[in-house]
Amino acid sequence: MAAKIWTVAVVGCGVGRLHLAEGYARHPDKFRVLALCDLDPARLAAVGDEFAIPRRTTSFDDLLAMADLDIIDICTPPTLHGAQILAALAAGKQVVCEKPLAGSLAEVDRVIAAERTASTRVMPIFQYRYGDGLQQAKRIVDLGLAGKPYIGTVETAWKRGAKYYATPWRGRWDTELGGVLLTHAIHAHDLLTYLMGPIASVFARTATRVNPIEVEDCAVATLELASGALASLACTLGSHKEISRLRLCFEHVTFESTQAPYAPGDGPWQIVPGSPEAARRIEDALADHHVVPSRFEGLMAAYHAALTSGGALPVTLADARQSLELITALNHSAATGAAVSLPIGADHPRYRDWRPAR
Ligand SMILES: NC(=O)c1ccc[n+]([C@@H]2O[C@H](COP(=O)([O-])OP(=O)(O)OC[C@H]3O[C@@H](n4cnc5c(N)ncnc54)[C@H](O)[C@@H]3O)[C@@H](O)[C@H]2O)c1
């Protein structure tokens, strides 16, 4: 029997257009996009026409009332995410939501509590997990073949200028909620924890040097992972050559991504075994590996499989919380000049707001 085709509404036609182009449109046997929502009628019409979406609305609430809609995919600016997720869960919809999932750890914990009692689930977006190079590395790690993690280096060196910051919500603490750490490097930092595990402690420095904005556009940090491994993060929006790069050294293997800035999961990753025995075990492990498509195409295929089977979602609220816990710790460290330990709970001074005091 053919798997169910899930019906979708996309809210927000910026990156929402990419969810359509790279995600839903590549899987017509898995998803049907019934509705599109944006406050901007011109964007709504252009994207609606491009993907022949039958229903268009400027009202999010209209989507909540559509009984034949399974999934609401939220691609609005960051300060709207928490309330829109909670409303969609309350209406019985499956929810997909762009990063950052929420505006504080307190808010993400409210979403986690709401999902616990809901009949539906929330999938945060981390599309950079998808791509063949990274998924091969993930398989090797998950099978226990990589051994003890030693050290990770993660670079996010992108370029953003005046045109990007012309969008009014960008560049300000009130509306973007953060800078390069929250909006850009959040992806590569998720990849670090996806492959090397949770973080125990951070020390960070941030600076605003590239653009005339409030939020940081350069940052560095040193991390101690829960395993005892170490990692360094470096990110900027002022790199004239754009790259994303992960280099992860484990006991039995060293992984190095390509430098593709916006598809770091894509292959080929360099996978360098530490011994002939490790090489043989890795070769055996990858013998039946199927190519994993890149970015939203791979993520949405995995999402459909999880919805249909009821199995674990490819990205979970726990993953989103982990990424926002790192943001909270990095911002607190940069503001105080001190190392910050994780986990961060409700008693932490930045639990309700990771932004600097203004
Ligand atoms: N995963 C990624 O690679 C990626 C890339 C870009 C942006 N993002 C994230 O996606 C989100 C949106 O970013 P963007 O670049 O698309 O921004 P954008 O400003 O280009 O697009 C957001 C759209 O949402 C619409 N909108 C605003 N309020 C709305 C409301 N109440 N109801 C319906 N529509 C509304 C706006 O009119 C706008 O068209 C942000 O959280 C951003 O961080 C993720």
Side-chain angles (χ1 to χ4, degrees), residues 76-244:
T76 51
T79 51
L80 303 179
H81 293 173
Q84 289 184 333
I85 294 169
L86 292 173
L89 279 180
K93 306 303 182 192
Q94 304 287 347
V95 185
V96 173
C97 183
E98 264 297 349
K99 41 56 61 170
L101 186 94
S104 65
L105 283 178
E107 191 170 52
V108 81
D109 283 347
R110 283 197 292 278
V111 172
I112 289 169
E115 189 198 50
R116 217 170 269 141
T117 57
S119 57
T120 52
R121 296 186 285 174
V122 183
M123 183 180 77
I125 288 285
F126 276 132
Q127 84 274 17
Y128 287 59
R129 290 182 174 192
Y130 283 83
D132 209 43
L134 187 144
Q135 286 297 327
Q136 288 187 0
K138 179 71 174 155
R139 182 146 197 212
I140 292 163
V141 170
D142 285 353
L143 287 171
L145 304 180
K148 188 173 166 181
Y150 290 158
I151 197 162
T153 40
V154 185
E155 292 163 87
T156 306
W158 294 359
K159 190 167 182 176
R160 296 290 185 274
K163 191 170 165 229
Y164 180 81
Y165 286 105
T167 299
W169 64 266
R170 296 192 184 281
R172 295 193 290 122
W173 286 109
D174 276 349
T175 46
E176 190 171 358
L177 306 175
V180 66
L181 287 168
L182 182 72
T183 302
H184 310 90
I186 194 170
H187 289 289
H189 300 167
D190 169 68
L191 300 183
L192 174 73
T193 52
Y194 187 53
L195 291 172
M196 264 199 166
I199 296 163
S201 167
V202 313
F203 182 88
R205 293 181 194 278
T206 59
T208 307
R209 301 185 60 74
V210 184
N211 285 286
I213 54 176
E214 274 179 15
V215 297
E216 86 286 349
D217 55 22
C218 297
V220 291
T222 61
L223 274 47
E224 186 181 2
L225 306 189
S227 62
L230 303 177
S232 72
L233 316 178
C235 35
T236 182
L237 299 178
S239 176
H240 301 303
K241 175 185 174 186
E242 290 194 298
I243 70 159
S244 299

Side-chain angles (χ1 to χ4, degrees), residues 52-69:
I53 298 170
R55 300 177 204 163
R56 297 137 196 218
T57 175
T58 54
S59 163
F60 180 79
D61 288 350
D62 284 355
L63 306 177
L64 303 176
M66 289 180 192
D68 54 352
L69 194 62

Side-chain angles (χ1 to χ4, degrees), residues 273-327:
S275 65
E277 170 65 8
R280 192 189 54 72
R281 296 180 76 193
I282 288 171
E283 198 181 315
D284 287 352
L286 297 180
D288 64 345
H289 177 81
H290 296 291
V291 172
V292 177
S294 186
R295 292 171 40 104
F296 294 112
E297 183 175 355
L299 176 60
M300 292 312 181
Y303 182 45
H304 182 270
L307 282 174
T308 305
S309 68
L313 293 171
V315 187
T316 64
L317 286 178
D319 298 332
R321 192 189 195 284
Q322 180 168 256
S323 77
L324 298 181
E325 190 177 44
L326 176 60
I327 290 293

